[in-house]
Amino acid sequence: MFGGIRDRLFRFQKHSRSTRNEFFGTHPSLPEDILDPPHAGRTSARQTESSTDPPVQSKSSQPAVLKPSKTAQQDSSTLDKSLDHSQLHKEHSIHHPTPPRSFFSSSSLAVHPNVETAHSSSEEDLRMPNIKVFSGSSHPDLSTRICERLQLEVSKASLKKFSNKETNVEIGESVRGEDVYIIQSAAGEINDNLMELLIMINACKIASSCRVAAVIPAFPYARQDKKDKSRAPISAKLVANMLSVAGADHIITMDLHASQIQGFFDIPVDNLYAEPAILKYIKESIPNWQTSVIVSPDAGGAKRVTSIADRLNVDFALIHKERKRANEVEKMTLVGSVEGKVAILVDDMADTCGTICMAADKLVEAGAEKVYAFCVHGIFSGPALTRLNASKFEAVVVTNTIPQDENMKKCPKIQCIDISMILAEAIRRTHNGESVSYLFSHVPIC
Amino acid sequence: MPERADASSGMVLLTGNSHPELAKMVSERLEIRLGEATVYNKTNRETSVDIKQSVRGKHVFILQSGSKNVNNDVMELLVLIYACKTSMSKTITVIMPYLPYSKQCRMLRRSSIAMKLVAEMICKAGASRLVSLDLYKKEIQGFFSCPVDNLRASPFFLQHIKTNIPDYKNAIIVAKSPGVMNKATSYADRLRLGVAVIHGEQKDEEESGLEDGRQSPPPNVTSYDFLPAQESKQKPPLTVVGDVGGRIAIMVDDIIDDAQSFVAAAEVLKARGAYKIYVIATHGVLSSDAPALLEASPITEVIVTNTVPHDLQKMRCHKIKTVDVSLMICEAIRRIFHNESMGQLFRDVTLDD
């Protein structure tokens, strides 16, 4: 409680300064002189890293892969733009990330008149004011990562269930006048998590928060977005209506199944893309990517695949599935050629993985040397993991919009790209009122 | 034409000025007279609607399609709907075969979603239901807060292909761009033919997004090695993925507006060995000098439906053939009026279509 009062006092003090200045300070655990290059003798280990060590790692030079120690180093090194570039790639010591800075200020390390006073004050000064980030129970790991990058702590909320299985949400901190971000993904028990999200939004709204934004990396019911059969519901529209009614003012998602879902809402929706992170991963981790072929496992993904193929300047192909008819086996035809090349299958969701495993068989049959799969949302339900273990994939790469720790243990072929920095940057930019469009083509930090 | 008075049937069919011929054909098939309403522009260019018969307690069906004067059509529709609503009609069903603004259905940088705005206006004006044909993207159904029926023109086209293209078994369905792949696959499925994709066409400027100087930070961050800028899409020249040599190429799309991309695709297909090239498009908007371009291109025939009026274009280009879909619209109206199931109309439609 005292921390809270001190918090507000310092905020009031800083009221006259511009918001930018707050970020030009150093983390209190670092030595006084902020002009020291970050690799000079800092070894303050981060306790949080040891606990979240994913079991599978292949190459250490993949900055985008989920490796907590690596990301810490990348954070600070990439943020200090005025450093010598050669130093960045040599040092591998672990040190704290410096507070987030805006990307277009290369003079960020100039001595700032407020730095001296910033030192003497506590940690709260260096954080962004008036923002609270809550985590739902679907993906606490992602929320922790996002908050680390924002130099915040996950705000306290107790999420429990009553004995009759009703969700019980209690917000543990004051949110009056704050910008609230609630991070909840469509993973695990989707209906429970959706209900929890709605109740949290409503709780923050009626607690007089300034603005409530829901950060939903994987949007629930996104595939039921059109009436393709008689009497089929458009559940995505229903979810959009429920979120608006609960009181959300802003939605941040990643790679919506169809970008038209943005139109289902009357509130602003930011649809971020994992494509830059995937491209980065392909360039850094797949040997011979320059001669690879990007393949779409079905007709609907053709547009996505051609976009990636164009950016990498490689060929593309697609697999056309002919529907099952009476007394006929489902036939898959390959349109295009993969003979003697590395095939990269790209899809937006990996659910039961039936289609992509059959596609992999087809590609190997057609002469592909190796087959990789990239999916943004790795749902992996039902027999997916057994299918993948028995499949011909070299590696299946997903992002951590949905928690992947359990899946990576059960299937060693699964690799995970960490997209928390994209979400954290989107939150920071939305909170500061800066443009988010930079994120559509760049991967921040990493 | 049997002169059944509207008063007994309880159904009133009204139309704006967008497509009078289609309205006439539908009313003939339904065997009712068109409702008496005059829709015109006043001298100050404002739309004025005058409904001369009673619509109180009736089921009103408003038939309006997009045409050359898009904004006038939308305004006429909204005023008609509102006039019926304030005149105590029981239900108002909007039949809009070609939905204008349907291409602006998603956010591209800082644009607006115009389709969402039009959808909200239609629902707010008082429409209780919408019927359309071959929506650009099926997700547009979710923009409306009233029920939307998305009819398909594909059964008509399949019939036309089987009867009018003699050796259609030696054809291949070509998707003009990767976005139309779903539609092409659905046609190929039902005709048991193969598919091919054309890639590398010149896309609109809106898609790339790097020329916009409003992006922050300035796009020249390539000086920093560790924050590589996104490579711009290097579009290859038009290529065909798939084999079209010695076959008939059938290009399938939903709207044919500016024929430039179709003509460029046809040139490539011809170069790759296709000996006949057909273009099938549901909505033949055919604006500016599309007829002249089509006339001079290697395309054999352009098959469109009569959802959008294109008589003038037909006179200038003899390759354009029309398929009549008023039967489907009439059937939809009848089934809605009698509260019957519309499942029969979607019987042969696959999931991708």
Side-chain angles (χ1 to χ4, degrees), chain B residues 316-329:
Chain B
R316 286 166 57 195
C317 171
H318 302 287
K319 295 183 185 176
I320 301 176
K321 305 274 180 294
T322 311
V323 167
D324 179 27
V325 288
S326 61
L327 173 63
M328 176 159 273
I329 295 176

Side-chain angles (χ1 to χ4, degrees), chain A residues 187-402:
Chain A
E189 285 295 321
I190 296 188
N191 295 333
D192 283 344
N193 293 333
L194 180 60
M195 202 63 208
E196 203 181 78
L197 173 65
L198 293 169
I199 295 179
M200 280 174 87
I201 294 175
N202 192 243
C204 294
K205 197 76 188 176
I206 60 178
S208 312
S209 61
C210 173
R211 213 171 37 150
V212 179
V215 180
I216 311 175
F219 195 80
Y221 294 94
R223 277 174 287 179
Q224 299 177 30
D225 59 356
K226 48 185 177 282
K227 198 174 135 199
D228 46 11
K229 292 188 293 202
S230 305
R231 299 169 287 282
I234 307 182
S235 309
K237 170 82 174 154
L238 177 64
V239 171
N241 285 347
M242 295 198 310
L243 285 167
S244 301
V245 164
D249 297 305
H250 187 62
I251 308 281
I252 300 176
T253 60
M254 176 158 270
D255 264 312
L256 277 171
H257 183 56
S259 39
Q260 280 76 24
I261 296 179
Q262 285 173 336
F264 289 3
F265 292 86
D266 287 325
I267 51 179
V269 176
D270 280 318
N271 182 18
L272 305 169
Y273 297 110
E275 193 182 296
I278 291 181
L279 289 171
K280 201 164 164 36
Y281 187 94
I282 291 178
K283 286 185 188 163
E284 281 159 0
S285 315
I286 297 191
N288 304 333
W289 64 267
Q290 290 92 341
T291 52
S292 62
V293 179
I294 317 283
V295 185
S296 168
D298 59 19
K303 205 166 173 189
R304 191 181 310 120
V305 154
T306 50
S307 159
I308 293 184
D310 283 343
R311 289 197 204 274
L312 292 173
N313 207 11
V314 295
D315 292 328
F316 80 96
L318 48 90
I319 295 191
H320 165 215
K321 193 161 58 167
E322 287 178 9
R323 309 251 163 219
K324 238 182 228 175
R325 291 188 189 91
N327 301 330
E328 247 186 58
V329 177
E330 215 168 35
K331 205 169 48 146
M332 290 183 110
T333 25
L334 178 66
V335 178
S337 144
V338 291
E339 185 80 36
K341 295 189 181 180
V342 172
I344 302 179
L345 270 170
V346 177
D347 205 355
D348 65 338
M349 285 188 199
D351 193 359
T352 50
C353 299
T355 315
I356 56 172
C357 288
M358 286 212 303
D361 291 336
K362 180 84 197 169
L363 289 169
V364 167
E365 211 181 282
E369 275 177 15
K370 286 189 189 173
V371 185
Y372 293 86
F374 281 80
C375 303
V376 178
H377 304 296
I379 306 171
F380 297 130
S381 64
L385 294 170
T386 30
R387 276 193 187 142
L388 286 181
N389 278 329
S391 69
K392 300 198 167 71
F393 282 113
E394 193 73 22
V396 176
V397 185
V398 293
T399 64
N400 63 344
T401 46
I402 292 175

